[in-house]
Amino acid sequence: MLNVTQQQKDYALYRLERAEEDLESAMELYEDGHYRAANNRAYYSIFHSMRSALALVNVDSSKHSGVIAEFRRLFIKEGLIPVGVSQMIGSAFTIRNASDYDDMFIASKLETQEQIDNAKYVFQQVSKYIADIMSQL
């Protein structure tokens, strides 16, 4: 069993709330036809979901790549989160970068819907993991 402080629990829950808020924003932006911005919010939902789980093991990184690497190492490789999430994270990171920084990137409706669906799935998996851990504490 994990030895989790109250502060770690608070960080985990706060970050999970941020993930949910970003997911809701992604869906609203998608409905309004703002696909580039929706891709950004879908990625940040995944990012904050990862950071919420990492808070429970007192791990963080100042870089997105560090958060991704640590999440994959501690949760996906250990079988705590489904392995398919790894590809979803990579895709979200790539598409968010293209949406934010590539002037020639055109975000399609279909691709953006996939990113939102992936963000929902990651959020659900991490939420379930955190709920399971919290119930054991």
Side-chain angles (χ1 to χ4, degrees):
M1 180 176 349
L2 291 175
N3 184 17
V4 180
T5 67
Q6 185 60 48
Q7 184 179 34
Q8 287 172 282
K9 291 181 208 176
D10 292 344
Y11 275 132
L13 295 175
Y14 170 72
R15 291 171 179 172
L16 204 56
E17 286 176 16
R18 288 186 70 185
E20 185 173 30
E21 184 179 302
D22 286 336
L23 181 56
E24 290 169 1
S25 294
M27 291 185 286
E28 291 169 9
L29 288 161
Y30 174 81
E31 290 301 320
D32 290 341
H34 302 292
Y35 304 136
R36 291 169 71 106
N39 284 327
N40 175 285
R41 292 295 89 198
Y43 167 76
Y44 275 101
S45 175
I46 291 172
F47 179 74
H48 292 302
S49 293
M50 290 186 294
R51 288 189 72 225
S52 67
L54 288 169
L56 294 177
V57 293
N58 206 31
V59 172
D60 203 6
S61 176
S62 62
K63 295 186 174 191
H64 288 241
S65 59
V67 168
I68 292 167
E70 289 299 318
F71 183 81
R72 284 175 169 157
R73 181 177 70 84
L74 294 168
F75 294 96
I76 296 174
K77 286 184 180 177
E78 293 297 321
L80 302 171
I81 299 291
V83 71
V85 167
S86 184
Q87 187 278 331
M88 293 175 186
I89 294 166
S91 175
F93 183 74
T94 299
I95 290 174
R96 193 277 302 190
N97 279 334
S99 289
D100 287 355
Y101 302 115
D102 183 352
D103 290 336
M104 304 312 282
F105 179 76
I106 298 172
S108 75
K109 182 176 183 176
L110 183 62
E111 188 173 61
T112 303
Q113 181 62 60
E114 181 180 334
Q115 293 307 307
I116 292 170
D117 290 345
N118 289 347
K120 285 180 192 175
Y121 182 76
V122 173
F123 176 78
Q124 290 167 348
Q125 292 300 310
V126 172
S127 294
K128 181 182 179 310
Y129 171 78
I130 289 175
D132 290 347
I133 292 299
M134 296 287 195
S135 72
Q136 297 173 25
L137 301 175

